[in-house]
Amino acid sequence: MKIVKIAVLACVLMAPLAGTAAAATAYPVKHPKLIANPLYDAGVLPTTTCEEPPVKRNNRQLGRAYINAMLACLETTWEQHLTSANLPYRPVKVRQVDKIPKKYCGATFDQKDDSEAYYCEKTGTLTFEVGKEYLEDPTDLWMLYQVGYMYSYHVQHLIGIADAYSVVQYRNKSELREQQRRYSLQRDCLAAAFIKSVWPLTGRTGKDWSYFLTLPSGDTSAKDRRWGKTSSIVSWLKRGFATADPASCNTWTAASAKVA
């Protein structure tokens, strides 16, 4: 089992959450940019061809080349999809580093992990540190999923979901954590929708996808449940892959039990 967003993704930068425990507002979430975003009406992602370049265990150079190639595929898909729906689009900036800077995008990090990925909203930049954790088994679709998950931050930023998320209020910590899970699980679903839009990849079969679904491991702390249970993550991955349609990724109107 691989722990989702821990080490590699746990510190990804996102817009600061607004709201306080005293901000008693209607719940569930009602913000139109979240529950009725135009993305949900844009249809299925376009079917495109994406070729995975060769990647070998613990080969950082090939790992970086793989990430860049998959990001190029993501750009092709999302540019076509968003522009055809008259939605905002601009390419993401990409930075590959040997070590994530201690100070990055206005924040300070402990630099303990050897593989990390961050999205900086204010510059629209994805920064990757490719190390052993990314490259432990580069053949299992995990790295493709992580790149798709990270790019989904950029999509959420482009179409207004990130901005809406940053201002939606919550009444207590429980609601705050649920909103964080809705935000993250949507990225899981969008990543899987992208994978389906380029599926089947050369040399891949349904067994690769089935095996990948055995890998995620959700929240490990009962006090800090911001990513979702393993069953919730897998459920949203299945939804995205089943349809390749971002409309299936509307976590904001889902029942609380679906984003636990």
Side-chain angles (χ1 to χ4, degrees):
M1 302 284 281
K2 296 192 178 184
I3 300 175
V4 176
K5 294 85 175 174
I6 302 302
V8 176
L9 303 175
C11 296
V12 175
L13 299 180
M14 45 187 176
L17 286 170
T20 67
T25 59
Y27 199 77
V29 174
K30 299 294 185 182
H31 198 298
K33 282 285 188 176
L34 298 175
I35 67 173
N37 195 283
L39 177 66
Y40 309 143
D41 298 320
V44 176
L45 292 177
T47 300
T48 58
T49 299
C50 180
E51 295 292 335
E52 292 181 282
V55 59
K56 297 180 180 179
R57 186 175 182 179
N58 297 329
N59 188 313
R60 177 179 285 185
Q61 182 176 357
L62 290 180
R64 288 176 170 177
Y66 180 92
I67 287 173
N68 288 337
M70 296 302 97
L71 284 170
C73 292
L74 281 152
E75 293 282 20
T76 297
T77 295
W78 282 105
E79 178 180 15
Q80 182 178 338
H81 190 65
L82 295 177
T83 56
S84 65
N86 295 316
L87 293 173
Y89 166 79
R90 63 178 176 275
V92 74
K93 299 174 184 176
V94 183
R95 182 183 178 193
Q96 301 265 12
V97 297
D98 292 334
K99 194 71 177 176
I100 294 289
K102 187 173 183 178
K103 294 186 181 296
Y104 174 75
C105 196
T108 302
F109 301 100
D110 58 20
Q111 299 180 303
K112 290 182 179 180
D113 298 310
D114 71 11
S115 297
E116 299 183 279
Y118 298 86
Y119 178 66
C120 182
E121 279 193 347
K122 65 183 180 181
T123 63
T125 302
L126 276 174
T127 300
F128 290 92
E129 175 189 336
V130 179
K132 291 182 180 180
E133 188 161 348
Y134 266 129
L135 298 169
E136 180 181 6
D137 183 1
T139 67
D140 62 9
L141 286 177
W142 186 257
M143 192 153 62
L144 173 57
Y145 151 71
Q146 290 191 87
V147 176
Y149 179 95
M150 293 304 304
Y151 190 89
S152 295
Y153 270 107
H154 186 57
V155 173
Q156 289 175 317
H157 180 62
L158 289 174
I159 62 176
I161 285 176
D163 285 343
Y165 169 68
S166 72
V167 299
V168 69
Q169 295 183 328
Y170 51 87
R171 294 173 296 191
N172 50 49
K173 187 174 181 179
S174 177
E175 287 186 359
L176 166 61
R177 289 293 184 248
E178 183 173 305
Q179 288 173 16
Q180 291 174 321
R181 295 195 297 273
R182 291 179 188 275
Y183 194 42
S184 178
L185 290 166
Q186 183 167 58
R187 291 188 293 276
D188 288 313
C189 183
L190 290 174
F194 163 73
I195 294 173
K196 182 58 177 289
S197 77
V198 297
W199 196 265
L201 294 159
T202 301
R204 298 286 192 183
T205 69
K207 290 183 178 180
D208 291 285
W209 178 251
S210 296
Y211 175 68
F212 164 73
L213 292 177
T214 70
L215 299 178
S217 179
D219 291 318
T220 57
S221 170
K223 295 181 180 180
D224 190 22
R225 297 195 54 252
R226 65 184 64 199
W227 309 113
K229 296 179 180 178
T230 300
S231 58
S232 296
I233 293 167
V234 171
S235 176
W236 286 99
L237 288 169
K238 288 180 176 179
R239 285 171 67 100
F241 191 78
T243 65
D245 189 344
S248 300
C249 302
N250 187 354
T251 56
W252 303 100
T253 58
S256 294
K258 299 294 184 182
V259 292

